[in-house]
C-alpha cells in the first residue's frame, strides 16, 4: 500500500500529445506505463516489490528537502530491473537475507543517486547480460555483500560508495567484468574488492578502499584486475592478496597503514606494480611465494615499516623484478629464500635499513645491477650453500658490513664499492666462497676484506684505502688473491704467499725494478707479509656441536718462550705486568693443586680496553698460548669474532650463532672485538642483548673450556659491562692498553726497518719522533698500524727517489731519510 501518489507522464512526439495520469501505487503506474514513459514518485513509503521490464524512467525527488521515496517491501527483492530503465533518487530498503535488495538482470539500465539500506544477501546485484551504469549510489548492507557483479555481467560504476558490508564490499565473480571509477568502499567485513574465478575481471580507477576487516583487495582463482590511481589502507589483514593464478596490475596506487602484508602473492599469481607506493605495513611490504609466482615492480617506493619483517620477501621458488625502485626506513629490505627463488634488482635504492638490505639464503639467487645501498647494518648477506647470484656496479655506503658470505654461499660480485663501513667491507667465513672482481673498500673502521676459516674466496683486482684495521685480513690459507692492492700502493698476497704478486716477483727476480703503474716498483715493496696478516687468527675448525671433531692440539710452546715474545713487544708495560701476574696466579694455583693444597679460584676471562692498534689481539693470542703451555687450555687457539658473527636478524638466530662461535673456540680463546657493539645505546629492536645473555650462560657452563676476552674502547666497554648483571662478574679483571708514546711508535718503525733490511738515517729518526708527536690522535688513529703505514709510506717514497738513480749503491737502497716521511714533517 502506498503512502504517496505516483504520476505517469506518457511519452509522445509532441508536447500536446503527452498524457499524464495519477496512480495510487507504483505497481499500477508500472502496469500503465510503456517504453519511454516517466514515472514520478512522490515522497513516501512504498511497500512493494518493483519489477521494471520496460524502458521507463522511475524517479523520486532530487532534493532531499522534498522528502524521500522509500521502497521497502517486507520480503524479497525490493527492486528488479530487466530492461534499460532509468532509476533515480530512490531509497531502497530490504530485509531478506536470501535475496539482494536491488537486482539488475538484463539491459543497460541507469541507476543514479540510489540509497540502498538493507540487511540482504547483497545491496546491489548485477548478473546475466546486464551492463548498467551506476552513478553516485550508496550501499549500506551490514548483513551481506555491498555490490555483487556475477555471471558475465559488467557495467560502469561511478562515484559510488559502500559504507558498510557484512561480507565483501564489491564482489566480482563467475566471469563478470565491471569498471569502477572514483568509488569508495569502507567498513566491510571480508575483502574490500573481491575478484574470483576464471574470466572475472575488474578495472578500478581513482577508487579508495579502507577500514576493512579483511584484505583490501583480493584476486583469486584466475581472476584479473587493473587498478589505477587507487588507495588501499587501514585493513585488518593484507592490503592486497593474490592467489591461484591471479593477475593484477597496479599503477599509481598507494597501499598504506596495513598491519599485515601490504601485498601478498601466492600460487602462480602475477603482479605488475608501476609508480606505486607501499608504506606503513606491519609485516612484509611485498610478499611473494611459490613457484611461478612473480612480481614486476617499476618506479615504486616501499617504506616506513611498522613491524620487524623484511620489506620484500621472495620464497618457495617465486621471483621478482624491482626496476628503479626505492626501499627505505625498514627493518630489512629484501629477503630471497629457497632454491628457485630469484630477485632481479636494477637501478634501485635501498636505504635506512636497520638490519640487512639484501639477504639470500637456502639456495636462492639475486641479481643486483647499478643499485645503491645506504645506512644499513649489512649491505648484502649470502648466507648458505647454493645461495648466490651476481652484483655489478653497486655501492654500499654507511653500512656496518658491506657484504657477508657464509656457509658455502658463492656469489659473484663485480665492480662494487663499499664506503665507510663500521666493521668490514667484505666479510667471508664458515666455508663461504664468492668471487670479488674489481671491488673497492674505502674508509672502513675495520678491515676492507676479512676472510677467515680458510674460505676459498677469489679476489681479483680489488682495492682498499683508509681501512682502520687493515685492507686485507686472511686468517688462514684458502683465498685466491690476484692483483689486489691496499691503499693503492701495497700489493696483497694470499696467506702463505709472499706479499708481492707474480708479476712483481718476476720483476724482482729479473732485477728490473718495474713500476706497478702507481709509482711504486713492485720489487722494492716490503718482502714480508703485511702486519695484519702476520697477526692473523689461528685455525678455526668445526666444533663437536657442529658435527666435526676437534683436530689434535699442536704441541705447546714453553710458557717462558711465549712470555719472552710478549716482553719483546714495544711498550705495553702495564699490560705485560697484568698478564704476568695473572699467569703467576694460575701457575702457583696449579702447583698447589699438585701438592694437594687448595688453589685460589682464578677467573680467566678478561676485558681489554683501549684504542685500536694497541696490540689487544696480539696479546690475546699470546695469552691463549700461555694458558695452553700451562695445561689450562687444551689447544690455546684464538677465535676472533665481532658483532656480525654473533648477532642474527631474527628471534632465536642470535643464540644459535653465538653458540656456534663459542663451540669453535672450545679449548682456546674467544676474542670479541668491539664487544660494546653488542649493547648499542639505542638498542631498541637490537638482538645484541640476546648474544650477551647467551655468552654469560656459556661462560658459566663451560668455564674450564673457553677463555673469553671482550675488547673495545674504554668508555664503551663500561656500558657493555653494565648491560647484564652477570657480565661484570664473569670477567676477572680489566686490562687497559694505553696509546703508544711517540718514542714507542718510533721503535715500531725501527723494528719494521730492521725486519725488512732498511736503515733510518739520524735525521729520519728525529723527524719520525717529531712526526708522531704532532700527529693528530683522532678516533681513526691506529697506533701500531699507523706506525707500520708510516714505514710503508717511507718505503714507497724511498723507492720513487732511488728509482731515478742510474746505479744506486747498497746504502742508497737501504737508507731512509727524513724526506721520505709522508706529508709535511
Amino acid at each position: 500500500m502506498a503512502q504517496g501518489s505516483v504520476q505517469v507522464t506518457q511519452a509522445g512526439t509532441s508536447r500536446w500529445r503527452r498524457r499524464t495520469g495519477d496512480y495510487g501505487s507504483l505497481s499500477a503506474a508500472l502496469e500503465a506505463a510503456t517504453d519511454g514513459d516517466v514515472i514520478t514518485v512522490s515522497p513516501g513509503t512504498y511497500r512493494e516489490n518493483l519489477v521494471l521490464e520496460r524502458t521507463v524512467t522511475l524517479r523520486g525527488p532530487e532534493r532531499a528537502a522534498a522528502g524521500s521515496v522509500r521502497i521497502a517491501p517486507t520480503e524479497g527483492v525490493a527492486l528488479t530491473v530487466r530492461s534499460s530503465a532509468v532509476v533515480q533518487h530512490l531509497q531502497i530498503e530490504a530485509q531478506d537475507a536470501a535475496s539482494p535488495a536491488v537486482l539488475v538482470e538484463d539491459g543497460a539500465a541507469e541507476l543514479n543517486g540510489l540509497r540502498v539500506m538493507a540487511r540482504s544477501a547483497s545491496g546491489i546485484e548485477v548478473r546475466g547480460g546486464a551492463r548498467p551504469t551506476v552513478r553516485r549510489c550508496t550501499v549500506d548492507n551490514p548483513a551481506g555483500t555491498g555490490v555483487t557483479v556475477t555471471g558475465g555481467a559488467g557495467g560502469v560504476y561511478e562515484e559510488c560508495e559502500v559504507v558498510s558490508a557484512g561480507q565483501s564490499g564489491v564482489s566480482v565473480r563467475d566471469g563478470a567484468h565491471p569498471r569502477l571509477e572514483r568509488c569508495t568502499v569502507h567498513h566491510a567485513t571480508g575483502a574490500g574488492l573481491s575478484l574470483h574465478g576464471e574470466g572475472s575481471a575488474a578495472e578500478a580507477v581513482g577508487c579508495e578502499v579502507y577500514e576493512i576487516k579483511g584484505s583490501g583487495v583480493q584476486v583469486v582463482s584466475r581472476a584479473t584486475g587493473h587498478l589505477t590511481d587507487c588507495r588501499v589502507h587501514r585493513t585488518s589483514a593484507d592490503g592486497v592478496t593474490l592467489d591461484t593464478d591471479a593477475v593484477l596490475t597496479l599503477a599509481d596506487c598507494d597501499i598504506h597503514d596495513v598491519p599485515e602484508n601490504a601485498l601478498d602473492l601466492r600460487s602462480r599469481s602475477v603482479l605488475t606494480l608501476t609508480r606505486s607506493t607501499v608504506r606503513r605495513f606491519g609485516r612484509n611490504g611485498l610478499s611473494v611465494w611459490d613457484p611461478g609466482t612473480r612480481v614486476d615492480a617499476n618506479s615504486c617506493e616501499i617504506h616506513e615499516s611498522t613491524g620487524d619483517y623484511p620489506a620484500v620477501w621472495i620464497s618457495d621458488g617465486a621471483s621478482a623484478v624491482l626496476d628503479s625502485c626505492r626501499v627505505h626506513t625498514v627493518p630489512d629490505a629484501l629477503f630471497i629464500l629457497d632454491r628457485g627463488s630469484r630477485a632481479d634488482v636494477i637501478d634501485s635504492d635501498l636505504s635506512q635499513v636497520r638490519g640487512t638490505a639484501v639477504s639470500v639464503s637456502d639456495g636462492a639467487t639475486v641479481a643486483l645491477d647499478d643499485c645503491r645501498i645506504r645506512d644499513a647494518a649489512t649491505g648484502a648477506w649470502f648466507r648458505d650453500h647454493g645461495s648466490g647470484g651476481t652484483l655489478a656496479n653497486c655501492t654500499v655506503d654507511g653500512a656496518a658490513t658491506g657484504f657477508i658470505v657464509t656457509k658455502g654461499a658463492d656469489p659473484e660480485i663485480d665492480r662494487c664499492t663499499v664506503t665507510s663501513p663500521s666493521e668490514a667491507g667484505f666479510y667471508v667465513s664458515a666455508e663461504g666462497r664468492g668471487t670479488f672482481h674489481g671491488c673497492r673498500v674505502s674508509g672502513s673502521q675495520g678491515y676492507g676484506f676479512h676472510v677467515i676459516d680458510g674460505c676459498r674466496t677469489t679476489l681479483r683486482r680489488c682495492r682498499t684505502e683508509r681501512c682502520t684495521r687493515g685492507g686485507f685480513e686472511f686468517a688462514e690459507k684458502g683465498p685466491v688473491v690476484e692483483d689486489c692492492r691496499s691503499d693503492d700502493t701495497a700489493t696483497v698476497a694470499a696467506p702463505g704467499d709472499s706479499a708481492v704478486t707474480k708479476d712483481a716477483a718476476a720483476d724482482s727476480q729479473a732485477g728490473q725494478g718495474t713500476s706497478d703503474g702507481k709509482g711504486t716498483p713492485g720489487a722494492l715493496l716490503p718482502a714480508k707479509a703485511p702486519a695484519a696478516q702476520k697477526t692473523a687468527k689461528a685455525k678455526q675448525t668445526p666444533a663437536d656441536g657442529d658435527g666435526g671433531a676437534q683436530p689434535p692440539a699442536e704441541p705447546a710452546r714453553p710458557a717462558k718462550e711465549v712470555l719472552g715474545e710478549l716482553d719483546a713487544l714495544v711498550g705495553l708495560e702495564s699490560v705485560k705486568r697484568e698478564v704476568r701476574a695473572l699467569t703467576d696466579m694460575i701457575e702457583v694455583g696449579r702447583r698447589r693443586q699438585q701438592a694437594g693444597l687448595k688453589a685460589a679460584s682464578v677467573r680467566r676471562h678478561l676485558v681489554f680496553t683501549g684504542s685500536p692498534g694497541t696490540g689487544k689481539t696480539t696479546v690475546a693470542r699470546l695469552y691463549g698460548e700461555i694458558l695452553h703451555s700451562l695445561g689450562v687450555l687444551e689447544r690455546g687457539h684464538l677465535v676472533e669474532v665481532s658483532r656480525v658473527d654473533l648477532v642474527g636478524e631474527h628471534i632465536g638466530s642470535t643464540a644459535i650463532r653465538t653458540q656456534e662461535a663459542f663451540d669453535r673456540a672450545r679449548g682456546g680463546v674467544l676474542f670479541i672485538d668491539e664487544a660494546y657493539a653488542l649493547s648499542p645505546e639505542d638498542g631498541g629492536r637490537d638482538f645484541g642483548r640476546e648474544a650477551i645473555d647467551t655468552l654469560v650462560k656459556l661462560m658459566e657452563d663451560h668455564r674450564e673450556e673457553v677463555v673469553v676476552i671482550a675488547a673495545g674502547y674504554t668508555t664503551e666497554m663500561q656500558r657493555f659491562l653494565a648491560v647484564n648483571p652477570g657480565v661484570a662478574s664473569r670477567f676477572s679483571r680489566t686490562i687497559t692498553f694505553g696509546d703508544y708514546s711517540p718514542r714507542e711508535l718510533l721503535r715500531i718503525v725501527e723494528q719494521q726497518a730492521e725486519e725488512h733490511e732498511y736503515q733510518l738515517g739520524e735525521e729520519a729518526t728525529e723527524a719520525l719522533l717529531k712526526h708522531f708527536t704532532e700527529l693528530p690522535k683522532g678516533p681513526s688513529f691506529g697506533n701500531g698500524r699507523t706506525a707500520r703505514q708510516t714505514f710503508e709510506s717511507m718505503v714507497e717514497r724511498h723507492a720513487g727517489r732511488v728509482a731515478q738513480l742510474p746505479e744506486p749503491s747498497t746504502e742508497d737502497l737501504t737508507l731512509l731519510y727524513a724526506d721520505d716521511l709522508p706529508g709535511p714533517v
Side-chain angles (χ1 to χ4, degrees):
M1 192 73 176
Q3 295 179 350
S5 63
V6 182
Q7 185 181 76
V8 177
T9 301
Q10 297 175 321
T13 57
S14 61
R15 184 180 300 272
W16 66 268
R17 293 184 60 186
R18 294 179 184 173
R19 292 178 294 134
T20 301
D22 292 327
Y23 299 86
S25 69
L26 279 167
S27 298
L30 290 171
E31 183 68 25
T34 60
D35 289 347
D37 286 352
V38 177
I39 303 171
T40 304
V41 188
S42 300
T45 301
Y46 300 84
R47 301 196 180 279
E48 303 177 61
N49 299 93
L50 304 184
V51 179
L52 276 63
E53 296 185 304
R54 298 186 178 93
T55 307
V56 297
T57 298
L58 176 66
R59 66 187 181 194
E62 185 172 352
R63 296 181 179 179
S68 61
V69 174
R70 298 173 60 229
I71 311 300
T74 56
E75 61 182 7
V77 180
L79 174 63
T80 301
V81 182
R82 296 173 181 155
S83 65
S84 298
V86 178
V87 184
Q88 300 174 329
H89 311 304
L90 303 180
Q91 180 168 307
I92 310 297
E93 301 178 12
Q95 303 295 322
D96 193 335
S99 304
V102 176
L103 175 61
V104 183
E105 291 187 304
D106 200 0
E110 180 180 332
L111 309 182
N112 189 5
L114 301 187
R115 180 173 178 82
V116 181
M117 304 179 66
R119 299 191 66 85
S120 302
S122 182
I124 299 176
E125 181 173 325
V126 182
R127 64 189 184 195
R131 302 289 187 274
T133 299
V134 184
R135 293 191 179 95
R136 291 183 291 280
C137 292
T138 301
V139 177
D140 185 349
N141 185 27
T145 305
V147 176
T148 300
V149 188
T150 184
V156 177
Y157 303 77
E158 299 177 356
E159 299 182 30
C160 295
E161 181 178 11
V162 177
V163 299
S164 76
Q167 298 176 30
S168 296
V170 177
S171 176
V172 180
R173 54 191 308 115
D174 301 328
H177 45 88
R179 175 182 172 87
L180 284 66
E181 298 181 3
R182 301 180 302 284
C183 293
T184 303
V185 179
H186 56 95
H187 292 91
T189 301
L193 171 61
S194 174
L195 313 180
H196 185 280
E198 188 168 5
S200 299
E203 184 176 359
V205 179
C207 297
E208 183 175 14
V209 178
Y210 66 99
E211 294 293 355
I212 306 297
K213 291 183 179 179
S215 297
V217 176
Q218 183 181 62
V219 187
V220 298
S221 302
R222 300 180 183 274
T224 302
H226 298 269
L227 275 63
T228 303
D229 193 24
C230 293
R231 294 178 61 201
V232 178
H233 58 108
R234 301 207 300 273
T235 63
S236 68
D238 298 335
V240 176
T241 301
L242 281 72
D243 202 348
T244 316
D245 301 291
V247 178
L248 178 65
T249 299
L250 299 178
D252 301 299
C253 292
D254 189 1
I255 317 296
H256 65 95
D257 293 292
V258 176
E260 297 293 324
N261 300 307
L263 298 151
D264 185 80
L265 291 73
R266 297 171 190 261
S267 301
R268 302 173 304 280
S269 296
V270 178
L271 171 67
T272 301
L273 197 65
T274 306
R275 296 182 306 279
S276 295
T277 300
V278 177
R279 55 195 171 98
R280 294 199 294 273
F281 43 90
R283 290 182 69 89
N284 307 125
L286 178 59
S287 177
V288 191
W289 302 72
D290 304 322
T293 306
R294 67 182 190 273
V295 60
D296 190 340
N298 187 281
S299 301
C300 296
E301 184 176 12
I302 302 174
H303 64 108
E304 291 184 70
S305 168
T306 60
D308 295 326
Y309 300 88
V312 179
W313 177 278
I314 315 295
S315 67
D316 291 341
S319 62
V321 175
L322 278 66
D323 190 345
S324 305
C325 293
R326 292 184 60 212
V327 181
H328 63 93
T329 321
V330 294
D332 302 293
L334 174 61
F335 268 44
I336 312 102
L337 306 89
D338 306 317
R339 188 170 301 280
S341 299
R342 178 181 177 87
D344 292 84
V345 189
I346 306 155
D347 190 23
S348 295
D349 289 274
L350 312 176
S351 63
Q352 294 176 284
V353 182
R354 298 192 293 276
T356 299
V358 179
S359 172
V360 187
S361 61
D362 300 318
T365 58
V366 68
L368 268 69
D369 193 2
D370 287 319
C371 293
R372 297 155 295 279
I373 299 173
R374 293 182 294 107
D375 300 328
T378 302
W381 190 340
F382 297 86
R383 294 176 178 270
D384 45 32
H385 183 73
S387 304
T390 59
L391 284 79
N393 300 309
C394 297
T395 61
V396 180
D397 183 29
T401 304
F403 295 88
I404 301 177
V405 183
T406 55
K407 298 182 180 178
D410 192 12
E412 295 184 10
I413 302 178
D414 189 23
R415 303 184 309 281
C416 292
T417 300
V418 182
T419 306
S420 303
S422 61
E423 294 180 2
F426 293 79
Y427 177 80
V428 187
S429 69
E431 300 182 0
R433 295 175 68 91
T435 299
F436 308 130
H437 179 266
C439 295
R440 180 169 169 261
V441 181
S442 175
S444 173
Q445 295 181 34
Y447 294 112
F449 291 80
H450 192 183
V451 183
I452 68 173
D453 299 333
C455 293
R456 298 174 63 186
T457 302
T458 300
L459 296 89
R460 295 189 179 96
R461 301 184 65 83
C462 294
R463 302 288 185 266
T464 67
E465 56 188 25
R466 301 190 308 280
C467 296
T468 301
R469 299 186 65 187
F472 295 81
E473 170 74 355
F474 307 120
E476 42 186 74
K477 293 183 179 179
V480 176
V481 182
E482 300 177 4
D483 192 20
C484 295
R485 295 185 177 277
S486 178
D487 287 321
D488 293 327
T489 55
T491 307
V492 178
D497 298 336
S498 67
V500 296
T501 62
K502 294 179 180 178
D503 292 341
D507 292 341
S508 176
Q509 293 172 7
Q512 296 174 355
T514 304
S515 172
D516 62 6
K518 295 184 179 293
T520 305
L524 298 178
L525 292 169
K528 300 281 186 174
Q533 295 182 25
K534 289 173 62 181
T535 60
K537 276 69 73 179
K539 291 185 178 181
Q540 301 173 16
T541 55
D544 296 338
D546 295 329
Q550 292 278 12
E554 297 180 2
R557 288 197 293 166
K560 287 186 178 180
E561 180 181 332
V562 182
L563 286 169
E565 185 175 337
L566 176 66
D567 288 336
L569 296 176
V570 174
L572 305 177
E573 298 307 323
S574 63
V575 173
K576 296 171 185 176
R577 287 194 299 270
E578 291 274 7
V579 173
R580 277 193 172 275
L582 191 56
T583 303
D584 291 343
M585 284 285 292
I586 294 171
E587 173 64 11
V588 172
R590 184 173 67 87
R591 292 183 180 181
R592 285 176 61 86
Q593 283 182 326
Q594 292 174 347
L597 300 173
K598 290 184 177 180
S601 176
V602 179
R603 293 189 179 274
R604 302 184 295 270
H605 306 304
L606 303 174
V607 174
F608 286 179
T609 65
S611 302
T614 48
K616 294 187 289 294
T617 306
T618 301
V619 173
R621 176 175 58 81
L622 296 175
Y623 181 55
E625 285 198 63
I626 292 169
L627 296 184
H628 179 33
S629 67
L630 296 176
V632 175
L633 291 177
E634 182 181 354
R635 298 177 58 211
H637 66 295
L638 182 75
V639 174
E640 182 179 353
V641 297
S642 60
R643 173 188 167 87
V644 71
D645 303 291
L646 304 179
V647 178
E649 298 171 340
H650 302 288
I651 294 173
S653 62
T654 294
I656 294 173
R657 296 176 65 181
T658 304
Q659 176 76 61
E660 290 175 348
F662 196 88
D663 287 341
R664 291 202 307 273
R666 285 182 188 270
V669 175
L670 179 64
F671 183 81
I672 308 173
D673 196 14
E674 298 178 353
Y676 55 83
L678 298 174
S679 57
E681 292 181 296
D682 55 346
R685 168 187 172 267
D686 192 81
F687 294 128
R689 182 179 291 272
E690 183 182 355
I692 295 173
D693 294 342
T694 304
L695 278 171
V696 168
K697 186 177 187 305
L698 291 171
M699 289 166 68
E700 181 61 28
D701 293 346
H702 306 279
R703 55 183 178 272
E704 303 299 329
E705 300 177 59
V706 177
V707 167
V708 177
I709 298 177
Y713 290 105
T714 302
T715 303
E716 286 81 352
M717 288 305 294
Q718 293 173 354
R719 184 182 73 241
F720 168 76
L721 293 173
V723 73
N724 182 308
V727 172
S729 65
R730 296 296 186 274
F731 293 95
S732 62
R733 65 181 68 195
T734 297
I735 299 178
T736 300
F737 287 66
D739 289 344
Y740 289 117
S741 68
R743 288 197 175 276
E744 289 170 340
L745 293 172
L746 172 61
R747 179 57 188 148
I748 293 173
V749 173
E750 290 174 340
Q751 287 183 346
Q752 289 279 300
E754 182 179 352
E755 183 178 356
H756 295 289
E757 298 183 347
Y758 285 88
Q759 295 179 358
L760 296 176
E762 183 176 346
E763 292 183 359
T765 300
E766 295 176 359
L768 274 168
L769 187 60
K770 181 179 179 183
H771 173 79
F772 289 131
T773 301
E774 297 176 350
L775 199 64
K777 306 298 191 297
S780 61
F781 179 68
N783 279 292
R785 182 183 60 81
T786 300
R788 289 188 291 271
Q789 287 183 338
T790 299
F791 169 70
E792 291 169 358
S793 296
M794 292 181 72
V795 169
E796 177 186 349
R797 293 168 67 89
H798 166 269
R801 173 170 54 81
V802 173
Q804 309 303 319
L805 303 177
E807 296 183 3
S809 65
T810 302
E811 181 176 292
D812 291 331
L813 291 170
T814 58
L815 196 60
L816 299 176
Y817 296 142
D819 291 342
D820 294 326
L821 267 169
V825 179

